[in-house]
């Protein structure tokens, strides 16, 4: 039941721009939802309306992409979990960027979405490779710490703590609980306030 993440492969989508904040990722009016279902359709809603079909999330060649390649300080602003949830519900399974806001990064780890960083030049090279070959497969490999698209392969970074959480599957708190079901039952049986017994 543990959920190891060693590599993510899929088509890529380049989203160029620094300091794209959580209000742009998912506008505040969509935060009233009870669940995160349906948020994907509204990812970057205002940016997409402004660009009238020219936003990467609207362009036909990037539909179904699973690896999002961004620039500097992505996910800054308010700490809403709705931002990574909207990106995930759209279909993104991994992000490559120059840097990520700390809370956005932490939310992604908790959801099992690796965010790796690379130099500005390497990120631009990867974005260019995807734009030139939108059907090519992009692979983010947490074992070799590389991101590749066709002939372009760049080194990527992630803190050793989060990296080991992905490689071991320990990012998945629910999975860890399910894997320990018998031990949890055994412990619960010994606790008088769980069993409602009078010790």
């Amino acid at each position: 039941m543990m959920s190891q993440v060693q590599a993510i492969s899929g088509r890529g989508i380049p989203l160029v721009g620094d300091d794209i904040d959580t209000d742009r990722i998912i506008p505040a009016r969509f935060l009233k939802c009870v669940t995160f279902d349906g948020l994907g359709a509204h990812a970057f809603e205002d940016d997409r309306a402004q660009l009238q079909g020219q936003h990467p999330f609207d362009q036909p060649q990037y539909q179904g992409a699973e690896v999002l390649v961004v620039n500097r300080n992505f996910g800054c602003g308010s700490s809403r979990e709705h931002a990574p949830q909207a990106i995930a519900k759209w279909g993104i399974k991994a992000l490559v960027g120059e840097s990520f806001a700390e809370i956005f990064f932490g939310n992604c780890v908790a959801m099992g979405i690796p965010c790796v960083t690379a130099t500005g030049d390497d990120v631009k090279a990867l974005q260019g490779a995807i734009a030139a070959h939108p059907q090519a497969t992009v692979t983010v490999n947490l074992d070799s710490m590389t991101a590749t698209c066709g002939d372009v392969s760049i080194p990527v970074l992630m803190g050793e703590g989060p990296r080991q959480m992905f490689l071991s599957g320990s990012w998945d708190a629910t999975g860890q609980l399910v894997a320990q079901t018998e031990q949890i039952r055994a412990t619960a049986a010994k606790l008088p306030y769980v069993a409602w017994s009078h010790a």
Side-chain angles (χ1 to χ4, degrees):
M1 189 70 189
M2 299 297 272
S3 308
Q4 290 97 340
V5 179
Q6 181 178 338
I8 301 282
S9 290
R11 289 187 299 106
I13 178 168
L15 182 60
V16 177
D18 295 333
D19 305 311
I20 294 176
D21 65 30
T22 53
D23 289 310
R24 289 175 62 190
I25 296 169
I26 187 73
R29 64 186 178 280
F30 298 110
L31 304 190
K32 299 171 189 163
C33 57
V34 177
T35 71
F36 296 119
D37 296 337
L39 275 186
H42 302 294
F44 301 102
E45 176 119 337
D46 293 345
D47 285 6
R48 291 161 69 185
Q50 193 175 355
L51 291 174
Q52 300 177 340
Q54 295 308 302
H55 191 280
F57 271 46
D58 286 326
Q59 294 180 305
Q61 69 268 36
Y62 300 128
Q63 298 311 300
E66 295 177 316
V67 179
L68 180 60
V69 184
V70 298
N71 297 105
R72 191 176 67 244
N73 197 28
F74 187 80
C76 58
S78 63
S79 58
R80 61 187 65 153
E81 187 188 350
H82 297 71
Q85 286 283 357
I87 289 170
K89 297 293 188 220
W90 193 83
I92 298 300
K93 295 185 168 70
L95 288 90
V96 180
E98 205 173 327
S99 61
F100 297 93
E102 191 174 348
I103 294 174
F104 178 89
F105 176 86
N107 283 333
C108 285
V109 171
M111 294 167 54
I113 301 172
C115 297
V116 296
T117 59
T119 67
D121 287 343
D122 282 348
V123 166
K124 288 184 180 80
L126 190 61
Q127 288 174 328
I130 294 167
H133 305 284
Q135 298 307 312
T137 298
V138 178
T139 298
V140 176
N141 190 312
L142 300 182
D143 199 26
S144 63
M145 291 309 289
T146 56
T148 58
C149 177
D151 297 336
V152 174
S153 181
I154 65 169
V156 295
L157 298 169
M158 176 186 275
E160 195 54 25
R163 178 173 174 258
Q164 287 305 322
M165 288 174 73
F166 282 113
L167 292 175
S168 68
S170 63
W171 67 268
D172 182 1
T174 304
Q176 288 186 72
L177 280 173
V178 171
Q180 307 300 323
T181 300
E182 291 311 312
Q183 293 93 320
I184 292 168
R185 284 196 178 120
T187 301
K190 297 174 192 166
L191 300 174
Y193 51 83
V194 173
W196 295 100
S197 62
H198 302 283

